[in-house]
Amino acid sequence: MAGRNHLYIPGPTNVPNEILNAMHIPMEDHRSPVFPKLLTPLLQDLKKIFRTETGQAFIFPATGTAGWEVALTNVLNPGDKVLIYRFGQFSHLWAEMGKRLGFDVEIHQETWGKGIPLDKLEARLKEDTNHEIKAVLATHNETATGVTSDIAGVRKAMDASNHPAFLFVDGVSSIASIDFRMDEWGVDGAISGSQKGFMMPAGGAFLAFSAKALKATETSTYPRCFLDLKDQITNNASGYTPYTPALPILYGLRKALDMLLEEGLENVYARHHRLAEGTRRAVAAWGLKTCAQEGFASDTVTAVIVPEDKDARDVISTAFSKYNISLGGGLSELMGKAFRIGHVGDMNDVSMLGAIAGVEMALLDCGFAIKAGSGVAAAIEYYRSTAK
Ligand SMILES: *Cc1c(COP(=O)(O)O)cnc(C)c1O
């Protein structure tokens, strides 16, 4: 099919040509005297994206899932109790990983469509007077439901209960696209990956840990090897890595960081908010509902619920086969009940309108009772009136 297959899924996202070109490089010796000139500034600049001055950034040749594991196994000890609120497929998977790695995972089920309940969290932490809970695992942006949780609020709840637990945040689909402030929010472990807000292929786990968390790694007795932060710390100090780095990922990251920092993080967040808001207006104009409930809507992905007599999978397959665009499916509980529109990464008003028009055509083809042009019109109106 002529033209591009546009990715309107929440990861992997469209890779800008500048980044593709930057990654197209001959291999080089990662033990050479010039390699530190590449790695050291990357680790410094990553800290700007995480918004940390006191923490330390890390790059693993891995994905976001490994980031979850790095946090759990480097900072905690075998069998430690961790607390997690589960409200979608990604918080579910992190909880399951905790169990499989032998941690005592306290899971609180929340409605899919809502995020972390701050009042309940504060009450639970206050009750834990012996401080048995060693870490709170917070999914900042639940990609399965299009829900963003209030991490500043999580920190407030932890402080209000004077609880010393570590705060680990899954920011795989929020960092570099939604407001994230590691130092200000007292985040001890921030987890991200290359293929969402960073606009790159998968293959880079980008992480940052607080001084408090890194101190705990010194005494943690959890067995680990490939994902050991200590080996990274030792080697990164002189600008090297403990094993062969994924070189194209590093060159791609150099370009991605340059692009993000040139645009300015505040502008990146504002752009994602505008793209998301236009999408939400289109969804409302179609008379459809988002999975996210009031106050929880995500600026990187919108999960759209279809009426009971419809199957969201038909919308996705029609959009792909007839219009050459990729939409996200409903995961687990939402299978067939929702489709997801990703608005994260290298996107602008016009590419977003392409997504909205493509979804609209697929909805019409699938017999949805919507008016042709209604969603596009709502989005156009919003984008025009808010364009700078
Ligand atoms: C994509 C995603 C992950 C998983 O990342 P992988 O890179 O696929 O391992 C974890 N958490 C969230 C919130 C995500 O969106």
Side-chain angles (χ1 to χ4, degrees), residues 283-298:
V283 172
W286 293 326
L288 297 176
K289 297 228 169 331
T290 62
C291 178
Q293 294 188 19
E294 184 75 31
F296 289 108
S298 160

Side-chain angles (χ1 to χ4, degrees), residues 72 76 80-84 98 103-107 132-137 168:
L72 292 170
L76 305 176
D80 275 357
K81 186 194 271 290
V82 299
L83 178 69
I84 186 165
F103 293 97
D104 174 10
V105 186
E106 183 175 314
I107 302 173
E132 279 167 18
I133 296 167
K134 299 302 177 200
V136 173
L137 315 187
F168 296 151

Side-chain angles (χ1 to χ4, degrees), residues 15 169 271:
V15 182
V169 179
R271 176 167 54 82

Side-chain angles (χ1 to χ4, degrees), residues 63-65 68 90 139 141 143 170 172-173 195-196:
T63 72
T65 302
W68 289 338
F90 291 95
T139 305
N141 191 73
T143 319
D170 172 350
V172 178
S173 62
Q195 79 274 26
K196 296 179 186 176

Side-chain angles (χ1 to χ4, degrees), residues 172-189:
V172 178
S173 62
S174 61
I175 291 169
S177 40
I178 294 176
D179 191 10
F180 183 86
R181 310 171 190 209
M182 177 156 174
D183 283 0
E184 197 179 315
W185 298 344
V187 175
D188 294 297

Side-chain angles (χ1 to χ4, degrees), residues 156-367:
K156 239 186 235 160
M158 293 177 74
D159 288 349
S161 44
N162 250 324
H163 203 291
F166 292 104
L167 172 57
F168 296 151
V169 179
D170 172 350
V172 178
S173 62
S174 61
I175 291 169
S177 40
I178 294 176
D179 191 10
F180 183 86
R181 310 171 190 209
M182 177 156 174
D183 283 0
E184 197 179 315
W185 298 344
V187 175
D188 294 297
I191 296 145
S192 195
S194 51
Q195 79 274 26
K196 296 179 186 176
F198 285 93
M199 309 173 284
M200 293 162 57
F206 304 148
L207 318 173
F209 287 90
S210 69
K212 177 183 158 193
L214 292 179
K215 187 147 182 53
T217 63
E218 288 166 19
T219 53
S220 159
T221 59
Y222 202 99
R224 54 192 187 267
C225 179
F226 180 69
L227 297 180
D228 199 334
L229 283 174
K230 279 193 212 167
D231 297 332
Q232 293 283 349
I233 292 169
T234 310
N235 287 274
N236 289 174
S238 53
Y240 292 96
T241 55
Y243 31 70
T244 319
L247 211 58
I249 289 287
L250 299 186
Y251 278 96
L253 178 60
R254 179 67 269 157
K255 193 48 148 182
L257 290 170
D258 291 345
M259 290 171 73
L260 290 164
L261 294 171
E262 187 189 277
E263 182 175 1
L265 283 179
E266 295 301 335
N267 294 329
V268 170
Y269 304 152
R271 176 167 54 82
H272 281 84
H273 177 72
R274 276 184 75 254
L275 294 174
E277 184 56 30
T279 306
R280 291 189 281 265
R281 291 190 185 207
V283 172
W286 293 326
L288 297 176
K289 297 228 169 331
T290 62
C291 178
Q293 294 188 19
E294 184 75 31
F296 289 108
S298 160
D299 282 344
T300 54
V301 53
T302 299
V304 184
I305 303 289
V306 301
E308 258 168 41
D309 62 335
K310 299 286 183 203
D311 189 328
R313 284 169 287 198
D314 296 337
V315 178
I316 297 163
S317 61
T318 304
F320 184 77
S321 58
K322 272 186 89 174
Y323 304 115
N324 200 21
I325 65 171
S326 294
L327 303 172
L331 300 176
S332 174
E333 272 183 36
L334 290 176
M335 175 87 73
K337 296 181 182 156
F339 63 88
R340 292 174 300 146
I341 306 173
H343 27 76
V344 46
D346 185 38
M347 303 271 290
N348 61 21
D349 293 1
V350 174
S351 52
M352 201 64 237
L353 285 167
I356 293 167
V359 171
E360 194 161 302
M361 290 195 283
L363 290 173
L364 287 161
D365 292 344
C366 293

